[in-house]
Amino acid sequence: MALSPSVYAPQLNAIILKHNHIVELELRNPDTVMVHSYHCHGHAFQIVESGPVHKNSSIPVKRFRGRQPMRRDTITLAANRYVRLRIKADNPGVWFQHCHQEQHSYSGLAFTFIEAPDVMQRTLRIPQEMIEFCRILGHPTRGNSAGRAGSDMTGIKPPLAITGTANSIPDTR
């Protein structure tokens, strides 16, 4: 059940990553003026491609090749551009991905990698004092993101939309 997106709160904009998969993430900025500074928690991504959002643009597509592509955890995404990033999902955890301009994160330029949740279930031990803290605050410590069984998200507000895609690709190394 941990690998099912239906058990995570919709406002997380959760993307489930399987352990050790190679994942490419394409971020698009169709805005004609605004620049976005994207930050990736939990990973240093490789920059594999960038180019114009619109195919009829005179701006060339850049493909970064070689044995050691650039690795970063933050990138500036220019107006009318896209960037393709690559990570290896080898760091089980819940990793927030967001625009560094806080007001943009509030408007939907944020999502969460739920990375290797099946591995986390087998290996992660939550300290008893954290479970007690949640109990005191009235937060559930079992079930899905809403503290309920299965995909019942009763009481959870709907998510804001984001632009972009993430797909597992074969590891060709």
Side-chain angles (χ1 to χ4, degrees), residues 27-45:
L27 301 174
R28 295 182 201 110
N29 181 6
D31 196 301
T32 57
V33 178
M34 191 66 65
V35 172
H36 298 283
S37 180
Y38 165 77
H39 185 126
C40 177
H41 289 270
H43 292 281
F45 52 77

Side-chain angles (χ1 to χ4, degrees), residues 98-166:
H98 61 94
C99 178
H100 261 165
Q101 294 173 317
E102 197 168 346
Q103 68 274 24
H104 295 168
S105 290
Y106 294 146
S107 64
L109 293 174
F111 56 98
T112 308
F113 285 151
I114 311 288
E115 184 171 336
D118 50 339
V119 173
M120 284 192 290
Q121 283 183 327
R122 289 192 312 269
T123 61
L124 182 67
R125 298 294 170 250
I126 299 171
Q128 186 58 43
E129 57 269 16
M130 293 307 295
I131 293 171
E132 182 61 18
F133 186 64
C134 288
R135 187 193 64 73
I136 290 167
L137 293 175
H139 298 305
T141 58
R142 298 202 184 286
N144 61 24
S145 293
R148 294 179 173 78
S151 60
D152 178 7
M153 291 291 165
T154 304
I156 301 267
K157 293 180 182 177
L160 298 169
I162 61 168
T163 300
T165 58

